[in-house]
Amino acid sequence: GSTPNLNMNLYATKKTVAEGMLDVALFLANVTHMKTVIEQGAGYRYYIAVLTLISFSLALQIVAGILIIIIARRDVTERANQKRLDSLNNMVTAIVFLIFVTNIFISVFGMERTGLFARMHF
């Protein structure tokens, strides 16, 4: 038996939808984290820093989400779209990397001094 032909457009669309779902999950996690920080109030040591980082991450996620929607609506098998879609995909990859780095900083500044971390002096 021969292997069926790979539909590149279907593959690209599924990949883009999966990436979008992960972006939505991280977006919701950041909104929840932001709510928690706001509830702790301005007395929280890194209040402004964490709120700024979360806001930056959320803004990047919105931009990435819009780009993902644009990519998903185009047909990758059309030669006229391929160069633009490649550029957009590279932009999304760079934005996702920035989101990743931003969320590392959010995690570091968002640590509570309880349990194991209470004994460590940062």
Side-chain angles (χ1 to χ4, degrees), residues 32-48:
T32 303
H33 195 177
M34 179 180 265
K35 179 183 172 221
T36 303
V37 170
I38 290 171
E39 285 174 351
Q40 288 179 350
Y44 176 60
R45 184 175 182 178
Y46 299 110
Y47 183 77
I48 299 296

Side-chain angles (χ1 to χ4, degrees), residues 7-21:
N7 183 339
M8 286 304 292
N9 196 55
L10 182 62
Y11 171 79
T13 301
K14 285 182 179 181
K15 177 188 155 292
T16 302
V17 168
E19 190 174 356
M21 286 185 203

Side-chain angles (χ1 to χ4, degrees), residues 22-66:
L22 289 172
D23 192 43
V24 168
L26 183 59
F27 186 84
L28 292 174
N30 278 342
V31 168
T32 303
H33 195 177
M34 179 180 265
K35 179 183 172 221
T36 303
V37 170
I38 290 171
E39 285 174 351
Q40 288 179 350
Y44 176 60
R45 184 175 182 178
Y46 299 110
Y47 183 77
I48 299 296
V50 172
L51 279 183
T52 302
L53 288 169
I54 292 173
S55 299
F56 181 65
S57 179
L58 290 172
L60 287 176
Q61 288 169 349
I62 290 169
V63 170
I66 291 169

Side-chain angles (χ1 to χ4, degrees), residues 16-17 19-20 23 63-73 92 96:
T16 302
V17 168
E19 190 174 356
D23 192 43
V63 170
I66 291 169
L67 291 175
I68 287 169
I69 290 169
I70 292 169
I71 291 170
R73 295 184 53 111
V92 170
V96 167

